[in-house]
Amino acid sequence: MKKKIILSLLVLALAFAAGNAFAQGKGTLNFGLSGNPDTLDPHKTSGTLTFQVLKSFYDTLIEPDPKGNLVPALAESWTASADSKTWTFKLRKGVVFHNGQPFTSKDVKATFERIKAKETASAKASEFSLIAGIATPDDYTVVFTLSSPYTPLLASLASGWGAILPSGLIASGHNFASEPVGTGPFKFEKWVRDNKITMTRNDNYWMKGLPKLQAVEFDIIPERAVQVQGLLSGAIEAVEFVDPEDLPLFQGNPKVTIKKELSSLIMVMGINNSRAPLDDLRVRQAISYAIDKQTVLDVAYGGGQVGHTFMDTGNAYYSDFPYYPYNPEKAKQLLKEAGVGNKEITIAVPQNYELHVKAAELYQQMLEKVGMNVKLQLVDWSTWLSSVYSGGNYDLTVISHTGKLDPDGTLAGYGGGKYVKWMNAPVLEKIKKAVTISDFAERKKLYTEVLDTMAKELPHFYLGTSYRYGATRSNVVDFRMTPNIDTFDFRWTELR
């Protein structure tokens, strides 16, 4: 691994000097990306990193503004019927897809029919399952008819998985997975796996004067040390975050700007509730008692707020349930009662997220101190998505879940399995009921009951919400992260 990092640093330095690997020019931003997307098709992924990239290629009907409020995008306005079952959207005129096709209501209809189609196998299809009909009275009006009220609809439409695709390419079976075509601020140029993704300015973008950059190049660099060296040398001009351990390297450096903020991430250790001995609640309780949450947050993630259930701590729907505080002796007692013995438990960790690897190492140490036999398994990101998250082939796994624009985006499906294989019918029904309620207080009451049960039964081990230390070169102006869903927004970004 050490040789690999040294070699990567050498390659980075040579490439920068030659001006080959990192595109130069006043209008090109070089962004250090920690891994490959699993696809470039917005309807066939649930990966955070993937949506972070896709934000630049596609638009949605509505979108969150910098404060998280939902505002017009491809739809200029919308209205709902009194029973909240009919939603009418008036579309923006003059919008053109990257392939030259004009944007109309036909594209909206084709997009959501594609998402809902079984053959698409969209991970987010359930969020649109209540759409019973889509009418297009004219080229710039779309009417969604719902089978029952669904309060999170607007949030789903504003999320990356609601990206609008051109109907002509949908009909022809275009391969969006390798060649994205949308109405977004940047057009796809090329994707060299494990190397780079290049996109160039959409000169016909509907937001006049945007984007301000001529191009963005995602340099795929899993190694933290190479990202750091790139920032210091100027070969990379921005990264999503830097490891807190590396912050001293940037102190006093006027050419690098560090921005600290509370993220909307839910930091967890996912637990496979279908595997013994983790199917025993006592063992899951022991795991929670064994881990010093604040220490893990501070050492692995550079600080944050401790949490005790499955919601980001800054969320309006969050409630705190500290049922299993740090108590190693209690953990030992429960493990003895459950008869865990020396059974080997494996923590699967995506190796491209070094902060998660560091957290996993701390978890391993703390769990071993209470008598558990724990091993670490480092996997690449694509393997984590396919085998761990989708395939359920794991015991424990360290990951973070991004916040969502609506709590249903976080909680939908829990109690019915999900990747933690946790079954709880009452919880599943409460989550389903909550989406039909528009009153905030009434919805929060139901979600509080759900989060209370999740805190007690521990389908995950909950760590909390971390701080994020974003980093850019000081000549980078107005790089934005979309509130709650943490996607990259380069529309206003400039190089000065």
Side-chain angles (χ1 to χ4, degrees), residues 267-271 287-288 291 293 363 458-463:
M267 320 301 292
V268 302
M269 181 159 58
I271 302 173
I287 290 172
S288 192
I291 295 172
K293 296 185 178 187
Y363 292 148
L458 296 168
H460 314 78
F461 162 75
Y462 311 107
L463 182 66

Side-chain angles (χ1 to χ4, degrees), residues 305-327:
Q305 296 178 355
V306 166
H308 300 94
T309 192
F310 194 56
M311 189 67 66
D312 49 306
T313 61
N315 196 295
Y317 287 90
Y318 179 80
S319 295
D320 200 37
F321 304 100
Y323 290 123
Y324 311 113
Y326 181 53
N327 188 338

Side-chain angles (χ1 to χ4, degrees), residues 153-421:
L153 177 65
L154 293 180
S156 296
L157 294 175
S159 299
W161 42 94
I164 305 300
L165 276 53
S167 56
L169 293 186
I170 291 175
S172 66
H174 178 77
N175 184 11
F176 292 97
S178 60
E179 188 180 353
V181 178
T183 61
F186 291 91
K187 298 190 293 184
F188 174 76
E189 286 292 318
K190 64 180 177 180
W191 177 15
V192 181
R193 287 181 182 271
D194 301 317
N195 187 348
K196 67 180 67 177
I197 299 171
T198 306
M199 57 188 187
T200 56
R201 187 180 193 270
N202 176 9
D203 293 332
N204 296 314
Y205 191 53
W206 56 270
M207 295 183 76
K208 301 303 180 185
L210 300 181
K212 296 184 177 181
L213 292 168
Q214 287 299 317
V216 175
E217 186 166 282
F218 290 107
D219 298 298
I220 299 169
I221 307 172
E223 299 90 353
R224 186 185 88 212
V226 182
Q227 288 196 10
V228 169
Q229 183 59 32
L231 273 170
L232 290 171
S233 69
I236 299 170
E237 288 148 325
V239 296
E240 179 185 0
F241 58 81
V242 294
D243 190 311
E245 276 191 3
D246 294 325
L247 291 176
L249 297 173
F250 301 104
Q251 287 180 353
N253 187 336
K255 295 183 178 180
V256 177
T257 299
I258 303 294
K259 182 179 180 180
K260 175 185 177 182
E261 58 188 353
L262 187 69
S263 72
S264 56
L265 297 172
I266 309 167
M267 320 301 292
V268 302
M269 181 159 58
I271 302 173
N272 190 334
N273 287 239
S274 68
R275 286 191 178 181
L278 301 169
D279 57 347
D280 188 326
L281 177 58
R282 293 172 297 180
V283 177
R284 303 198 298 274
Q285 290 172 336
I287 290 172
S288 192
Y289 279 126
I291 295 172
D292 184 340
K293 296 185 178 187
Q294 192 64 61
T295 293
V296 176
L297 274 172
D298 291 345
V299 175
Y301 298 108
Q305 296 178 355
V306 166
H308 300 94
T309 192
F310 194 56
M311 189 67 66
D312 49 306
T313 61
N315 196 295
Y317 287 90
Y318 179 80
S319 295
D320 200 37
F321 304 100
Y323 290 123
Y324 311 113
Y326 181 53
N327 188 338
E329 293 306 313
K330 181 67 173 177
K332 292 177 184 178
Q333 175 191 334
L334 288 168
L335 291 171
K336 184 177 180 180
E337 290 177 8
V340 174
N342 197 45
K343 181 175 175 59
E344 184 176 295
I345 304 293
T346 300
I347 304 178
V349 195
Q351 62 188 10
N352 57 309
Y353 288 103
E354 295 196 32
L355 302 186
H356 293 334
V357 173
K358 190 183 301 180
E361 291 170 347
L362 292 170
Y363 292 148
Q364 180 187 33
Q365 295 169 15
M366 293 176 183
L367 294 175
E368 286 182 340
K369 283 183 179 180
V370 298
M372 294 184 72
N373 179 13
V374 179
K375 305 299 180 186
L376 296 187
Q377 177 189 17
L378 300 183
V379 298
D380 61 62
W381 182 236
S382 60
T383 300
W384 188 89
L385 285 170
S386 61
S387 181
V388 176
Y389 185 79
S390 298
N393 298 311
Y394 75 100
D395 296 326
L396 303 171
T397 187
V398 181
I399 198 64
S400 59
H401 292 259
T402 56
K404 298 293 187 291
L405 298 173
D406 186 274
D408 186 68
T410 297
L411 297 171
Y414 278 100
K418 298 284 282 190
Y419 79 104
V420 291
K421 313 299 181 186

Side-chain angles (χ1 to χ4, degrees), residues 121-133:
S122 172
K124 302 295 185 178
S126 62
E127 296 193 22
F128 304 104
S129 62
L130 294 180
I131 297 177

